[in-house]
Amino acid sequence: MATLSRYIGLDVGGTNIVGGLLNERCEPIRTTRCATEADRGPAHVLNRIETVINEMRAAAGSHRVEAVGIGIPGFVDPEAGLSVFAGNLGWHNVPLGAEMARRTGLPVFIDNDVRMYIYGEAMRGAGEGFGHVLGVTVGTGLAAAVVNEGRLYYGGAQMAGELGHIPLPGIDYTCPCGLTGCAERIVSATGIARQAADALQAGESSILSERFSPENGAKPTAADVAAAYDAGDALAIRIFERTGDYLGLALAYAVTLFSPDIVIVGGGVAQAGERLLAPARRRLQQSVYRGYWERLTIRTASLGEHAGLIGSALMASKQLMKSQQSGGM
């Protein structure tokens, strides 16, 4: 039997580590997951990552694992293989790439998790066939990435894509980053939940009041607000309208700056679908020059949790080839 190339992709989050074994076309053929357990410290999480890599390596059998790609939250220096800062992991200057390469003996490449998610969607998912892709993820926060003709845009210090930290008018919440009015204070799962909790605290009428109130201390999640929306609750509908409107406004800045062919909306909150996207489209259409709007496609992400694995594996294969061509390996 011929030996085929295999790649390992990982998506490391504050809650879970998802790993995948991918074939020579970077298509997932086996996946696994485990709890991150970030509260037990960086050394413990590194051990968890190593375990996932070894599990996927064993699944490759006799086939050769060429490289490992890892998507990690926060600020990353891909060239140095360094996790500069990952708040939800409690990491500062963790040499993830070098450490995993030392432990496994494999070439290991790391990058920001949102960039890897959007790269996977751009190359093999909802953005396949489009030259200029703007992708956003709406989850715990709001982030973005740009892929132009197959190349990720990084910006200075690899810090491009922090769409959630654009201050927008009418947002009064202070952000942990130190600014007031950051888009992700509204446009995120936590932002949706925060709006609902504040409205209930203020005594606004809602079916959510039956379960969540200042008296019992329970607070709704974004999923609770979505369920209330589907039940016709006026407060929930207003929250999603407001959230989608701000998403559209944030996108207007990015669309005007980068002129993408397609905008891909992914992340957990994107599962809200038209509850969120309909008001976002309306605001975006009102806020950009007609020439941008008329050529723009807007889609939800299509690869699910595989997007980050595929993006990480594709990035690793690309970086491996680049390194080999330059004589680095």
Side-chain angles (χ1 to χ4, degrees), residues 54-303:
N54 287 338
E55 181 181 343
M56 292 296 93
R57 193 175 193 177
S62 61
H63 301 302
R64 175 183 172 86
V65 175
E66 302 287 351
V68 178
I70 305 175
I72 194 106
F75 295 115
V76 178
D77 183 340
E79 293 184 3
L82 185 68
S83 172
V84 178
F85 172 71
N88 58 355
L89 295 178
W91 285 16
H92 294 268
N93 295 321
V94 175
L96 176 60
E99 180 62 17
M100 286 302 113
R102 182 189 69 79
R103 294 188 186 200
T104 65
L106 294 169
V108 177
F109 304 93
I110 75 167
D111 211 318
N112 171 266
D113 59 342
V114 172
R115 282 199 288 259
M116 294 300 89
Y117 179 98
I118 298 304
Y119 191 57
E121 286 288 347
M123 304 303 292
R124 299 292 172 81
E128 189 171 7
F130 290 85
H132 306 282
V133 178
L134 167 66
V136 300
T137 58
V138 189
T140 305
L142 172 65
V146 173
V147 182
N148 287 322
E149 302 294 352
R151 294 173 62 90
L152 277 159
Y153 177 75
Y154 287 87
Q158 293 86 34
M159 292 178 68
E162 292 297 330
L163 187 66
H165 294 287
I166 295 177
L168 298 178
I171 299 178
D172 298 325
Y173 295 113
T174 299
C175 181
C177 78
L179 297 174
T180 296
C182 287
E184 72 175 29
R185 295 291 88 193
I186 294 291
V187 188
S188 62
T190 50
I192 291 169
R194 183 183 297 110
Q195 292 175 76
D198 286 354
L200 296 176
Q201 178 73 34
E204 293 196 40
S205 176
S206 169
I207 62 174
L208 293 167
S209 302
E210 299 170 6
R211 295 170 52 204
F212 309 100
S213 70
E215 289 74 24
N216 64 28
K219 294 183 178 181
T221 66
D224 294 321
V225 182
Y229 178 108
D230 293 340
D233 182 68
L235 173 61
I237 291 171
R238 190 170 76 247
I239 288 172
F240 269 100
E241 286 285 331
R242 184 187 187 208
T243 302
D245 185 71
Y246 272 116
L247 173 59
L249 183 57
L251 287 175
Y253 290 105
V255 166
T256 302
L257 183 62
F258 292 107
S259 186
D261 301 318
I262 183 172
V263 172
I264 300 171
V265 182
V269 177
Q271 296 175 12
E274 289 303 306
R275 305 181 191 94
L276 187 70
L277 294 183
R281 287 193 189 94
R282 287 195 296 270
R283 169 60 78 169
L284 184 55
Q285 185 175 10
Q286 295 166 4
S287 304
V288 299
Y289 170 61
R290 186 174 64 184
Y292 290 119
W293 175 255
E294 290 178 344
R295 62 182 298 275
L296 187 65
T297 298
I298 302 175
R299 292 179 182 170
T300 54
S302 63
L303 297 176

Side-chain angles (χ1 to χ4, degrees), residues 6-7 9 19-32 56 124 303 305-311 313:
R6 296 287 185 259
Y7 295 89
L21 178 68
L22 299 94
N23 64 19
E24 67 278 6
R25 296 179 298 278
C26 291
E27 300 165 335
I29 54 180
R30 182 79 63 86
T31 61
T32 188
M56 292 296 93
R124 299 292 172 81
L303 297 176
E305 71 174 17
H306 287 171
L309 305 182
I310 293 170

Side-chain angles (χ1 to χ4, degrees), residues 310-329:
I310 293 170
S312 295
L314 285 168
M315 178 272 298
S317 66
K318 183 177 180 180
Q319 292 300 322
L320 179 65
M321 184 178 298
K322 180 180 177 180
S323 178
Q324 290 172 337
Q325 290 173 346
S326 66
M329 291 185 180

